[in-house]
Amino acid sequence: MSAGHHHPIYRPADTPVHRLPPQCKLAAVVAFAVFVVATPRERVWAFALDALLLAAVAVAARVPAGAIVRRMVIEVPFVLFAVAIPLIGTGERIQVLGLSLSAPGLWAAWNILAKATLGVVASILLAATTEPRMMLLGAERLRLPRLLVQIATFMLRYLDVILDQMRRMRIARESRGFVARDLRQAPVLAKSAGALFIRSYERGERVHLAMLSRGYTGEMPTIRDISATGRDWAVAGMLPCLAAVTALLAWSTT
Amino acid sequence: MTSGSPSLTVSRLAYAYPDGTQALYGVDLTIERGERVALLGPNGAGKTTLVMHLNGILTAGHGTVEVAGLAVRADTLREIRRRVGLVFQDPDDQLFMPTVREDVAFGPANLGLRGAELDRRVHDALERVGMLDAIDRPPHHLSFGQRRRVAVATVLAMEPEILVLDEPSSNLDPASRRELAEILKSLDVTVLMVTHDLPYALELCERSLIMSEGVIAADGPTHALLADERLLAAHRLELPYGFAVPAQPG
């Protein structure tokens, strides 16, 4: 048995944000990201306003800043890319701390950083307040193709089972003296990966049999009804609406 | 209900796999309502192949399978799969939904149940296997024995005519094995149990069938079959070391 595999990004709590139906939150985050991206990059204050909006959501959902910052590590590759742009960019150059940087490059880097950060934080808040399976139910409500949702649901269910199988195979390898020191051991690992694939495929076939045995006809029955009220949509809609107002103000002050 | 007809009637069932391997050579058996019957036999005797015929996952090459009087055919599959509850050996194959509740609801929901009736089925089934407390937990957070009990509940929720269990005691620790036995004894449903665990068969089933080389080689009281050493040896069956069939009760 595998143990201790929670989904630590989700922070169980009972707040107004947690209680919102997942489809409302999903739609709100996507719309928020679109409005943030549509905001002109020169209006720095607009991004500060957007950040304040997210801070308000974090407070309402009781997600501590530390948890958000830790999760933001996922953004690091984008940050590295953004840092490189002013160095390699063309156009008018300015001197900062003895470095010659491209001014349009700096703006481009700011643009990527600010917008990506806001998008990432919004997603972290969504994930921290919505269980993974609820997210999938929400996605289904938003008319995401059912087949994709089914595949993701199975992935969620079987990820731990497959990781566990992988762990057992690793222990079996190491028990017989295998140490992955350098590239010469790669064929062994490749064969293990192949074996894992075959086992997972066979499990898939057995699961399909089990589904057929309980009357599966190609369509997953909707068991949990997670319908949203107009009020839910209004509450969730506040975030993207305020971001839209911010974007409009930013455009109108040019 | 379907009074009169036996829960399960299999007659002259023969089957060869697509690669030509003949697995069943004419199986005949009848299980009356409310009986608990063990299906014993060595590996490769055709037990699993037979089980796959009972709810139409495989279709008979020759012969017939009837569940409570209804023949297994392409047009009766939906009703057959409601009547025959198959519990697979590995509960991780059987429990594929994110939570216990959704998994137990999967079968009855496929039958078209919704709302309060669906909830009632889910609650009843979990209560019968003593797993109501775990209703909102993900299956992979349960112990192996608990998962096997939930797997039984997923099938009970469909209110089957006959419960078919594939190796119900495999991989269970002694306490879980006993708990499952108590649950199975408490169910008011016909049971066909495929097993290598002969003491388990003796404890739970009055009657046993021995399957060997694609046919039913023996059919009788479990007690008598297990006491017949020559019969067991002829079909690669052995009682565990130190186990003796207790003297006939009553």
Side-chain angles (χ1 to χ4, degrees), chain A residues 84-166:
Chain A
I85 299 175
L87 296 171
I88 58 178
T90 53
E92 180 195 345
R93 298 193 83 80
I94 52 172
Q95 296 292 321
V96 182
L97 299 172
L99 279 175
S100 165
L101 299 178
S102 141
L106 272 176
W107 275 119
W110 156 252
N111 191 37
I112 291 175
L113 260 186
K115 291 176 178 177
T117 305
L118 287 168
V120 166
V121 172
S123 313
I124 293 171
L125 286 173
L126 171 69
T129 59
T130 317
E131 278 178 85
R133 64 193 177 85
M134 292 304 279
M135 204 100 79
L136 292 174
L137 289 177
E140 193 170 16
R141 295 288 296 207
L142 292 175
R143 307 280 155 83
L144 203 75
R146 301 193 93 175
L147 198 59
L148 288 182
V149 175
Q150 276 187 39
I151 292 171
T153 309
F154 283 113
M155 196 186 74
L156 198 62
R157 166 66 182 89
Y158 284 103
L159 190 63
D160 288 318
V161 174
I162 289 170
L163 285 179
D164 205 40
Q165 205 151 38
M166 211 161 93

Side-chain angles (χ1 to χ4, degrees), chain A residues 7-8 19 27 88 128-129 141 157 171 192 196 198 235 250 252:
Chain A
H7 300 276
R19 279 194 297 270
I88 58 178
T129 59
R141 295 288 296 207
R157 166 66 182 89
I171 291 172
S192 297
L196 189 66
I198 302 280
V235 172
S252 59

Side-chain angles (χ1 to χ4, degrees), chain B residues 87-137:
Chain B
V87 180
F88 288 79
Q89 191 172 349
D90 184 349
D92 275 329
D93 295 342
Q94 182 120 19
L95 307 177
F96 44 78
M97 296 291 276
T99 63
V100 167
R101 180 197 299 275
E102 288 164 272
D103 216 299
V104 178
F106 180 84
N110 279 328
L111 300 177
L113 295 181
R114 293 290 182 274
E117 171 68 4
L118 183 61
D119 282 347
R120 187 190 65 73
R121 287 277 188 107
V122 172
H123 272 86
D124 284 0
L126 283 171
E127 193 144 51
R128 286 164 85 183
V129 299
M131 288 299 296
L132 196 51
D133 291 343
I135 188 164
D136 283 316
R137 297 181 61 191

Side-chain angles (χ1 to χ4, degrees), chain A residues 25-232:
Chain A
K25 284 189 272 190
L26 265 172
V29 166
V30 171
F32 174 80
V34 168
F35 291 128
V36 167
V37 169
T39 308
R41 62 189 186 186
E42 290 81 8
R43 303 290 167 278
V44 177
W45 56 265
F47 296 101
L49 273 182
D50 287 333
L52 271 180
L53 291 176
L54 290 181
V57 175
V59 169
R62 283 194 247 122
V63 180
I68 299 176
V69 172
R70 270 199 305 282
R71 285 286 164 191
M72 279 172 66
V73 175
I74 197 172
E75 206 191 331
V76 166
F78 296 94
V79 174
L80 292 179
F81 179 62
V83 166
I85 299 175
L87 296 171
I88 58 178
T90 53
E92 180 195 345
R93 298 193 83 80
I94 52 172
Q95 296 292 321
V96 182
L97 299 172
L99 279 175
S100 165
L101 299 178
S102 141
L106 272 176
W107 275 119
W110 156 252
N111 191 37
I112 291 175
L113 260 186
K115 291 176 178 177
T117 305
L118 287 168
V120 166
V121 172
S123 313
I124 293 171
L125 286 173
L126 171 69
T129 59
T130 317
E131 278 178 85
R133 64 193 177 85
M134 292 304 279
M135 204 100 79
L136 292 174
L137 289 177
E140 193 170 16
R141 295 288 296 207
L142 292 175
R143 307 280 155 83
L144 203 75
R146 301 193 93 175
L147 198 59
L148 288 182
V149 175
Q150 276 187 39
I151 292 171
T153 309
F154 283 113
M155 196 186 74
L156 198 62
R157 166 66 182 89
Y158 284 103
L159 190 63
D160 288 318
V161 174
I162 289 170
L163 285 179
D164 205 40
Q165 205 151 38
M166 211 161 93
R167 192 180 53 84
R168 286 202 303 272
M169 288 167 75
R170 179 177 57 77
I171 291 172
R173 278 198 307 270
E174 289 173 3
S175 305
R176 285 183 281 159
F178 176 78
V179 187
R181 241 182 253 101
D182 54 45
L183 211 60
R184 272 172 299 174
Q185 274 83 33
V188 175
L189 294 178
K191 279 176 195 137
S192 297
L196 189 66
F197 174 77
I198 302 280
R199 286 186 187 189
S200 305
Y201 187 83
E202 285 172 347
R203 182 179 295 281
E205 288 186 324
R206 293 197 304 273
V207 170
H208 186 236
L209 280 186
M211 293 172 72
L212 288 180
S213 299
R214 285 196 275 150
Y216 177 71
T217 49
E219 188 114 330
M220 290 302 250
T222 326
I223 292 161
R224 293 178 61 124
D225 192 25
I226 46 161
S227 52
T229 63
R231 194 181 153 274
D232 292 330

Side-chain angles (χ1 to χ4, degrees), chain B residues 149-170:
Chain B
R149 276 148 68 183
V150 173
V152 173
T154 62
V155 170
L156 286 180
M158 300 177 77
E159 301 189 343
E161 166 78 23
I162 178 166
L163 193 61
V164 181
L165 302 140
D166 191 4
E167 293 288 356
S169 63
S170 63

